[in-house]
Amino acid sequence: MSGLDRRSLIGGLAAATLARPALAQGAKGRVVVVGGGFGGATAARALHAAGLAVTLVEPAERYIACPMSNAVIAGLRPVDLQVFVYEGLARAGLTLARTKAVAVDGAARQVRLAEGGTLPYDRLILSPGIALRFDALPGYDAAAAEIMPHAWKAGAQTELLARQLADMPDGGTVVLGVPGNPYRCPPGPYERASLIAYLLKTRKPRSKLIVLDAKDTFSKQRLFEAAWARLYPDHLEYVPLAGGGQVTAVDPKTRMVRTDFAEYQADVACIIPPQRAAPIAAAAGVADRSGWCPIDPVTFESRLTPGIHVIGDAAIAGAMPKSAFSANAQGKVCAEAVIDLLAGREPVVPKLINTCYSLVAPDDGISVAGVYHPENGVLADVAGAGGTSPLDASAEMRHREAAYGEDWFRTVSHAVFG
Amino acid sequence: MRILLLLALAAAAGTAGAAEERPPPGASSCSGCHGPADGGAVPSLAGLPAEAIAGALAAFRAGTRPATVMDRIAKGFTEEESRAIAAWLAARGGT
Ligand SMILES: Cc1cc2nc3c(=O)[nH]c(=O)nc-3n(C[C@H](O)[C@H](O)[C@H](O)COP(=O)(O)OP(=O)(O)OC[C@H]3O[C@@H](n4cnc5c(N)ncnc54)[C@H](O)[C@@H]3O)c2cc1C
């Protein structure tokens, strides 16, 4: 593989010297993008398409996408459909550095790479995603995650949880621990609860799922709760914060999950721990004490270190949720802003859209949408727009939303990685 | 080719002025769902003239055209913003 890496490391140089489209006319400078997920790969592609010299830093050979991975966990979808490679980006002529960024010198404008070299930049875009906090929940560390998977970064964890659920004998108890805000993909835990309940109902009907939540309100709540009452009254029990739902400790040896009020003996425990921006954000000096990155809502430039832009899950994007849809939309807007800044133009004040589709059962979908714009220094909801699917949507409409959700995933992953 | 596109764009957008290739606010988010024409569930915008896109957005915004999600999205844009988005998308072949 390293021969290919080396070739792709320099593969984009020739393309970068081709004539520039008018868009980037006057824009001069080197852009480095760290993180080839939905945010970073989108931004890198947009900058490259506009004719800028851009290097995408990403160590992983393959990108394993989280959206739709809850269906994999419930045995409803093959994991292969989640896997993408970077050859498409290399073929498009983009320069890839197949290594990890380990430090950023914001004053000298340089990124230091794991294998030793440095990359100078005029503008740096970070889209490194999240780190799971293994210091936040007593008993839950990296070793515990091998027994009580979070499956909140797709890949081996997704397959581990899928296997544990498939192997669990009927009559078992599944416990799902959900963190407080903010975290990656606000409706994700509830989609996961729905699809696990579907698996139990259809294949292990004497089993039960207990959802322990560290909060009382959540994304698409009325839609999820209506679906659970309709579909899973005997298989899903939801315990909110006010009902004592916050997980306060776990014991992986015995698969015990504790709250301040009770102990839950699990046969399968999925624990989603609190999160923060991936470590490179703190190393670059763009994460604040919350662990996330404050940004300017027009350009996504860090409030803490000039010249560095942060997009995707790592950013504090106001009302915009941490989603692949948001990361993709932000990648495009941030690329435009970087082009404008490099050309000495005033960036356009943007509007962005997010839509998160969730499945409550196979072929049964719901969504939440929003339109966002900068207001008082943050990305705020455009009043009167957005919201969730109607509570009384017909089965036919929910069927269509499930199809639209799958189609969104296909379209966006093709646009980003294809 | 580019000159033709720009002329079409400027004409359709009315006030967009010269050489405005930058996406107007909101336009770059549409391609999250609307891909190239390939028979997916979400209708492709490829080949739709600006007038058709702007007209659809107006109807979605007014609630007179049935929708699962476009009503909620279209309400985030004014008539003028919608026209600018429509012109930009149409000039680029819908994505
Ligand atoms: C179960 C689940 C379901 C979800 N469902 C949906 C959904 O239906 N719709 C939706 O919109 N979103 C969904 N999401 C959320 C979505 O996956 C994330 O919001 C999205 O991946 C964020 O993109 P990103 O670019 O910020 O980060 P990521 O996609 O995590 O990409 C970050 C990349 O950066 C790389 N990286 C990190 N550090 C470094 C470094 N130091 N140097 C170089 N590279 C580095 C990583 O290897 C990784 O490839 C879901 C998430 C989960 C967990």
Side-chain angles (χ1 to χ4, degrees):
Chain A
M1 205 59 202
S2 73
L4 182 77
D5 289 358
R6 233 148 278 272
R7 254 180 291 135
S8 51
L9 193 58
I10 53 168
L13 292 178
T17 60
L18 296 175
R20 293 175 177 201
L23 183 64
Q25 250 174 32
K28 284 201 193 64
R30 295 151 303 184
V31 185
V32 174
V33 180
V34 170
F38 281 105
T42 299
R45 225 183 227 282
L47 289 161
H48 174 72
L52 261 107
V54 50
T55 303
L56 175 63
V57 184
E58 168 61 63
E61 298 246 322
R62 307 180 308 160
Y63 181 76
I64 308 186
C66 289
M68 316 296 285
S69 70
N70 285 326
V72 176
I73 285 162
L76 297 165
R77 182 179 167 90
V79 73
D80 327 2
L81 294 181
Q82 303 302 116
V83 180
F84 300 92
V85 293
Y86 290 99
E87 272 61 39
L89 287 160
R91 251 197 324 275
L94 218 117
T95 306
L96 293 169
R98 314 292 297 257
T99 180
K100 196 170 170 173
V102 290
V104 176
D105 184 337
R109 301 210 173 194
Q110 284 189 344
V111 179
R112 188 147 54 81
L113 303 175
E115 61 185 34
T118 57
L119 288 174
Y121 65 82
D122 296 291
R123 292 271 159 189
L124 171 65
I125 299 177
L126 296 182
S127 188
I130 59 160
L132 297 155
R133 290 187 51 191
F134 289 125
D135 60 350
L137 184 60
Y140 199 74
D141 55 15
E146 296 304 315
I147 300 165
M148 303 172 137
H150 51 77
W152 219 240
K153 287 189 176 189
Q157 280 275 311
T158 313
E159 296 190 81
L160 176 62
L161 181 56
R163 209 161 47 240
Q164 287 185 357
L165 287 167
D167 292 348
M168 185 185 79
D170 194 6
T173 300
V174 183
V175 174
L176 173 61
V178 183
N181 292 321
Y183 60 94
R184 154 179 286 182
C185 195
Y190 311 98
E191 178 185 62
R192 178 169 295 180
S194 306
L195 295 181
I196 291 176
Y198 178 84
L199 166 73
L200 301 183
K201 179 180 165 177
T202 52
R203 287 196 256 147
K204 303 172 196 278
R206 292 186 296 111
S207 313
K208 182 162 187 166
L209 168 66
I210 301 171
V211 182
L212 300 175
D213 201 342
K215 54 195 179 304
D216 287 319
T217 56
F218 58 86
S219 174
K220 292 181 261 191
Q221 182 161 9
R222 296 200 320 143
L223 295 175
F224 277 115
E225 288 182 342
W228 295 343
R230 176 166 53 86
L231 297 168
Y232 313 120
D234 301 327
H235 294 93
L236 193 162
E237 180 190 338
Y238 176 73
V239 188
L241 173 66
Q246 178 165 25
V247 177
T248 50
V250 299
D251 182 359
K253 274 196 216 71
T254 55
R255 283 205 166 84
M256 191 70 85
V257 181
R258 295 200 171 81
T259 67
D260 280 338
F261 303 92
E263 289 190 336
Y264 297 85
Q265 177 63 60
D267 295 291
V268 173
C270 167
I271 303 296
I272 306 167
Q275 296 149 34
R276 63 161 79 96
I280 190 68
V286 294
D288 70 13
R289 289 166 71 183
S290 73
W292 305 99
C293 308
I295 47 120
D296 175 276
V298 175
T299 61
F300 290 86
E301 186 164 3
S302 168
R303 296 270 193 212
L304 304 179
T305 307
I308 306 180
H309 302 248
V310 187
I311 57 173
D313 288 356
I316 301 173
M320 273 192 108
K322 300 186 187 303
S323 71
F325 197 114
S326 293
N328 175 247
Q330 292 167 5
K332 290 180 254 189
V333 164
C334 181
E336 291 297 330
V338 162
I339 292 167
D340 284 339
L341 290 167
L342 288 173
R345 278 192 301 258
E346 180 86 4
V348 176
V349 176
K351 275 193 174 179
L352 300 98
I353 300 172
N354 175 67
T355 305
C356 289
Y357 286 101
S358 302
L359 292 174
V360 295
D363 298 326
D364 195 338
I366 58 178
S367 65
V368 59
V371 183
Y372 308 90
H373 64 170
E375 196 176 72
N376 302 324
V378 296
L379 280 165
D381 278 293
V382 172
T388 65
S389 325
L391 200 51
D392 60 357
S394 65
E396 189 268 333
M397 192 160 154
R398 297 200 311 265
H399 186 82
R400 267 170 45 208
E401 289 228 279
Y404 290 148
E406 186 160 3
D407 201 35
W408 159 76
F409 180 70
R410 207 180 44 88
T411 298
V412 78
S413 48
H414 186 265
V416 174
F417 298 104
Chain B
M1 179 64 177
R2 175 169 300 132
I3 290 170
L4 269 179
L5 279 182
L6 284 177
L7 284 177
L9 182 61
T15 57
E20 185 59 86
E21 272 195 44
R22 294 191 286 178
S28 64
S29 285
C30 309
S31 59
C33 292
H34 292 285
D38 61 353
V42 178
S44 171
L45 305 180
L48 283 188
E51 270 317 308
I53 297 174
L57 289 176
F60 285 131
R61 197 166 53 241
T64 54
R65 182 169 169 149
T68 56
V69 71
M70 278 311 297
D71 48 349
R72 290 177 268 155
I73 290 173
K75 288 186 179 119
F77 301 94
T78 63
E79 174 71 25
E80 199 185 348
E81 288 172 332
S82 303
R83 291 197 164 278
I85 291 171
W88 187 82
L89 284 172
R92 290 168 36 105
T95 53

